[in-house]
Amino acid sequence: MSTGLDALTKKNIDTWLTGNYDEETKAKIQQLLDEGKETELSDSFYKSLEFGTGGMRGEMGVGSNRMNKYTVGAATQGFSNYLKQSLPGKEIKVAIAHDSRNNSPFFARICADIFSANGMKVYLFSALRPTPELSFAVRHLGCDAGLVITASHNPREYNGYKAYWNDGSQVVAPHDKNIVTEVNNITSVDDINFNGNESLITFIGEEVDKEYLKTIQHNSINPDVIARQKDLKIVYSSIHGTGITLVPQALALLGFENVNVVEAQAEPNGDFPTVVYPNPEETEAMTLAVNLAKDIDADLVIATDPDADRVGAAVKNPHGEWVLLNGNQMASLIIYYLLGAWEKAGKLTGKEFVAKTIVTTEIIAKMCAGKGVKCYDTLTGFKYIAAVIRELEGKEQFIGGGEESYGYLIGDAVRDKDAVASCAMIAELTAYAKDNGKSLFDFLTEMYQENNFYYEGLISLTKKGKAGAEEIQQMMANLRANLPTSVAGSEPVTVLDYKNLTSKDLKTGEITAIPEGLGMESSNVIQLILADGSKVSARPSGTEPKIKFYVSVNASLANPTDFDDTLAALKAKVSAIQEDLGLK
C-alpha cells in the first residue's frame, strides 16, 4: 500500500480488503490502489461518514467515507441499536421513504431489511415519495423513528440518509450524537444484520398520500379566491424528482385547473439529465420551466428539488422579464400573506408564532413584531424549527416558518420543510395577488414598501476533501481571532458567537449569554451586526464541503418605481462587504 496515505486511511482500506465485504467492492478498492489513485482513496477512507445538520450525506462509491451498502448498513444498525436502548421492551415502528436518486430504492430496502432483522415493524413506501411526506407518515402511523434516503439538491454523484425521531423531525441532540456513537461502536461489517424479516415489512403508498394531501388542503386560507382564479397559469417542474408524485395532485385538490408540467423534467431520473445541478436555487435548473412560462404567458413558475422539500419560484417583473425569487423573498412573502390573512380572520390572539433560522432575512421578524406575533430564531437546519414547534405544542400555535435555503413550512402537520405544501401556498398567494389586480412581484414590492427593502447575498466557498475541511476550520478560527474594525464603511457593533453562545457588545465589551433551548444550542457560527443594520454570518455547512457567508442589508423603498435602483444599491453594498472581508 502506498506510503502517501496516513495510518488511519491505510487501516480503513485494509479492513475493507480483508473483511466480510463483497468481492465487487474489494475489486474496486484494489483497482484504485493499482492505479495509484491516492487522493480518491484518501477522500474515500480517511474518515467515516458522520451525521451533520441533516443526517449523513456523501458521494456514492466504495469506502468508509462514501454512501454504499455498508455505510448505510452501519448507520442503520447503529440507529437500530440506539432505538432498542431508548425504547426497551417496546414494539418499535419505523417509516422509510426514498427519492429518485441512483441507488435510493436499493438503500431504502437495505434499511428496511436491517430494521426488520432487528425486530422492528417497518413501513416502507412502495415507490419514491417527497421527504415531507415521510415526516408526516412518522406521526400519522405512530412511528418511533423514520428515515429517508436522499441527498436533497446535491449533484448526481451524491446520496444521503436523513434520520427522524417520533415527532417527524430530523434527529437533534442528544439523539443525533448518540446515534453516531452507536454507529461508531460497530467495528466490523459482521455487526450489521442484513437478514430482513419480510413479515415485519409493510408497504405503504396512496392511503398515506390521501391523508397528507388533506393537511395541505386544510392549510388553504382563501378557497374562494382560488375558485375565482382557478385558471391561474402555473408552470411546474419536479426536476426529475419526487415532487411529480404529489405537487400536481395538491394543486388540483385546491382547485387550480391550469397547471402546466415541464414534461422534459417530469420523469424521475437519478442522472438528472436536463440539469447540471438539480437545485431550484440554480438559474440553470429553472431554465426549462421559465422558457415554458414565456411560451404560454404564465402567472407563476414553481420547481421542486429531487426530494421535494425545497421549492424555487419565478415571476414576471414590471418590465415583463421573468425573475427568480430567492429563498428569503419567498419565505417573507409566505409569512406576509399568512400574517395578513390570520389578522383579517381575527385569529391573532397573542399566542401565535413564526420560526426562522438565524441566517434568514430579518424582515420576517419585523413583520411579526408589527402584528404582535412572536418570531423565534433558531440555528440553521429545519430540525431546529421543528424543535421549537415540539417545545411549544399545546402552548402556542405555529403559523409558519422558513429558511433562506428555499425551505418553508405552513402549519404543523409536517415537521420538516415542505415543498408540496409550499407550492400550494405559493400558488394561493399568487391567486390572491391576481384577485386584487396585482402580480406576485407587485405583492413583493408592497411588502418592501411597508417593511423596508431587505436584500440578502450568499457567498458559498467550496473546499473539498480533508484539506478543505481543515481550511474551513482555519477560516473560522481566523475570523474569531481577528474581527474586522470596519466593513464597507460601517463599524461592527455586536458579534454573536454561537459556538460558545455569547453576544458581545464591541463598544462596551459587555458579554451576554444567548439562551440555550428552543432551537438553539452550540454551533460553529459567527455573526457580525454592523452599525448601519447590516448583518454578516459565517457558517460551515454540516452536509456539504462548503463554508457559507450570509450578508443581509436593507433600505427604505418609498415608491415601487425605485425598486431597481434600490436593489442595485443593496447589491453593491453586499459586494463591498464581500470585498472588504476578502471572501473569494
Side-chain angles (χ1 to χ4, degrees):
M1 190 176 296
S2 172
T3 56
L5 301 171
D6 64 40
L8 179 59
T9 301
K10 290 178 180 180
K11 179 183 176 183
N12 288 339
I13 291 172
D14 185 62
T15 297
W16 281 59
L17 285 174
T18 59
N20 192 20
Y21 295 83
D22 63 81
E23 292 305 315
E24 183 181 357
T25 293
K26 292 180 180 181
K28 287 179 179 177
I29 297 170
Q30 190 59 53
Q31 182 179 354
L32 291 173
L33 287 167
D34 293 342
E35 295 175 356
K37 300 287 182 66
E38 289 193 2
T39 300
E40 187 173 344
L41 283 164
S42 179
D43 287 346
S44 298
F45 285 97
Y46 84 94
K47 67 173 184 175
S48 296
L49 280 180
E50 300 170 355
F51 278 82
T53 57
M56 181 172 72
R57 191 179 300 179
E59 293 184 38
M60 290 177 279
V62 297
S64 58
N65 192 35
R66 293 286 184 261
M67 286 289 296
N68 51 61
K69 172 183 178 179
Y70 302 105
T71 54
V72 168
T76 307
Q77 185 63 58
F79 197 1
S80 297
N81 292 347
Y82 181 64
L83 285 167
K84 286 189 287 187
Q85 289 174 17
S86 302
L87 304 165
K90 187 182 188 300
E91 181 195 32
I92 298 171
K93 296 188 285 186
V94 183
I96 302 174
H98 68 81
D99 69 4
S100 60
R101 287 179 177 272
N102 296 328
N103 294 316
S104 283
F106 171 64
F107 291 152
R109 181 62 204 221
I110 286 172
C111 295
D113 285 343
I114 293 170
F115 281 125
S116 65
N118 282 271
M120 299 177 191
K121 175 70 176 173
V122 177
Y123 295 96
L124 176 63
F125 275 98
S126 57
L128 76 169
R129 285 297 191 281
T131 286
E133 188 176 8
L134 182 278
S135 173
F136 172 81
V138 168
R139 296 173 71 236
H140 176 68
L141 297 170
C143 292
D144 302 288
L147 72 87
V148 59
I149 300 296
T150 179
S152 191
H153 57 290
N154 278 56
R156 61 179 63 90
E157 296 84 9
Y158 284 74
N159 214 320
Y161 182 115
K162 292 182 181 179
Y164 290 75
W165 206 242
N166 59 9
D167 66 336
S169 164
Q170 290 185 51
V171 292
V172 293
H175 304 307
D176 52 358
K177 294 178 176 64
N178 290 342
I179 293 169
V180 170
T181 297
E182 288 304 318
V183 173
N184 291 339
N185 285 340
I186 298 171
T187 57
S188 167
V189 66
D190 300 319
D191 295 336
I192 307 168
N193 190 345
F194 288 104
N195 300 313
N197 183 344
E198 290 284 348
S199 67
L200 290 176
I201 300 174
T202 299
F203 290 95
I204 56 175
E206 289 186 7
E207 66 279 11
V208 180
D209 296 345
K210 290 176 182 177
E211 295 302 316
Y212 170 58
L213 288 168
K214 282 181 185 178
T215 70
I216 293 175
Q217 188 174 28
H218 179 73
N219 289 337
S220 180
I221 298 167
N222 289 303
D224 55 323
V225 168
I226 296 174
R228 290 193 294 271
Q229 300 294 337
K230 63 182 180 181
D231 289 327
L232 187 81
K233 285 185 184 177
I234 302 169
V235 169
Y236 170 65
S237 173
S238 59
I239 315 183
H240 305 290
T242 61
I244 197 65
T245 63
L246 286 178
V247 172
Q249 287 187 53
L251 293 171
L253 188 63
L254 263 65
F256 292 105
E257 298 178 358
N258 196 354
V259 179
N260 303 269
V261 173
V262 179
E263 293 298 335
Q265 296 178 323
E267 184 73 26
N269 187 329
D271 289 328
F272 309 113
T274 65
V275 296
V276 178
Y277 298 108
N279 183 357
E281 297 180 53
E282 301 283 346
T283 301
E284 180 266 340
M286 300 286 285
T287 300
L288 292 180
V290 170
N291 286 344
L292 177 57
K294 291 176 181 176
D295 290 343
I296 67 172
D297 192 26
D299 297 293
L300 172 69
V301 169
I302 43 180
T304 52
D305 69 343
D307 69 324
D309 63 353
R310 301 173 193 244
V311 55
V315 294
K316 273 193 294 188
N317 67 15
H319 310 299
E321 303 161 336
W322 280 91
V323 293
L324 303 183
L325 299 182
N326 63 42
N328 282 302
Q329 290 172 320
M330 185 50 70
S332 304
L333 277 171
I334 290 172
I335 299 303
Y336 181 59
Y337 176 66
L338 290 172
L339 289 174
W342 278 58
E343 182 181 49
K344 187 176 181 181
K347 292 169 63 178
L348 295 182
T349 68
K351 291 188 176 181
E352 294 73 33
F353 74 95
V354 164
K356 71 176 188 69
T357 68
I358 57 175
V359 296
T360 300
T361 178
E362 290 302 316
I363 194 175
I364 293 176
K366 186 173 184 179
M367 291 189 295
C368 286
K371 304 289 186 185
V373 172
K374 293 178 184 175
C375 181
Y376 292 98
D377 267 334
T378 76
L379 292 178
T380 305
F382 231 85
K383 64 183 181 181
Y384 295 110
I385 291 177
V388 176
I389 299 172
R390 179 174 63 249
E391 290 297 317
L392 298 177
E393 197 162 10
K395 305 169 191 172
E396 298 179 22
Q397 187 171 6
F398 178 66
I399 294 176
E403 60 182 5
E404 48 72 40
S405 56
Y406 291 58
Y408 326 110
L409 179 61
I410 301 96
D412 64 359
V414 168
R415 302 298 172 88
D416 203 351
K417 49 186 175 284
D418 186 346
V420 184
S422 297
C423 282
M425 186 55 65
I426 292 166
E428 178 173 328
L429 65 91
T430 306
Y432 178 83
K434 191 169 185 178
D435 205 52
N436 285 276
K438 302 173 183 176
S439 69
L440 188 57
F441 195 93
D442 295 331
F443 205 43
L444 178 74
T445 304
E446 174 188 291
M447 179 184 71
Y448 285 152
Q449 282 185 270
E450 292 179 13
N451 300 282
N452 264 21
F453 193 146
Y454 280 73
Y455 177 76
E456 290 78 25
L458 172 64
I459 300 113
S460 183
L461 307 179
T462 299
K463 308 288 184 181
K464 289 188 175 182
K466 183 181 179 182
E470 291 170 351
E471 185 179 353
I472 287 172
Q473 293 306 312
Q474 189 59 50
M475 290 175 73
M476 293 297 290
N478 290 342
L479 182 57
R480 284 188 171 92
N482 303 288
L483 290 174
T485 56
S486 177
V487 181
S490 185
E491 182 184 4
V493 293
T494 306
V495 58
L496 297 100
D497 192 334
Y498 292 90
K499 190 171 185 177
N500 54 26
L501 292 175
T502 59
S503 173
K504 182 177 181 179
D505 186 318
L506 296 176
K507 286 186 177 294
T508 66
E510 182 183 2
I511 297 175
T512 56
I514 298 171
E516 196 165 3
L518 281 179
M520 191 62 63
E521 62 185 24
S522 175
S523 181
N524 190 16
V525 182
I526 304 171
Q527 287 187 317
L528 288 178
I529 311 299
L530 307 185
D532 64 3
S534 300
K535 182 174 72 172
V536 181
S537 308
R539 170 185 167 264
S541 172
T543 56
E544 301 173 279
K546 295 179 179 179
I547 182 169
K548 297 180 178 181
F549 294 85
Y550 307 78
V551 180
S552 176
V553 294
N554 71 88
S556 62
L557 181 66
N559 193 299
T561 57
D562 296 330
F563 188 99
D564 291 345
D565 289 342
T566 305
L567 177 59
L570 291 172
K571 284 184 175 181
K573 190 167 187 177
V574 169
S575 295
I577 290 173
Q578 179 180 1
E579 182 73 23
D580 262 19
L581 293 177
L583 304 178
K584 294 180 180 179

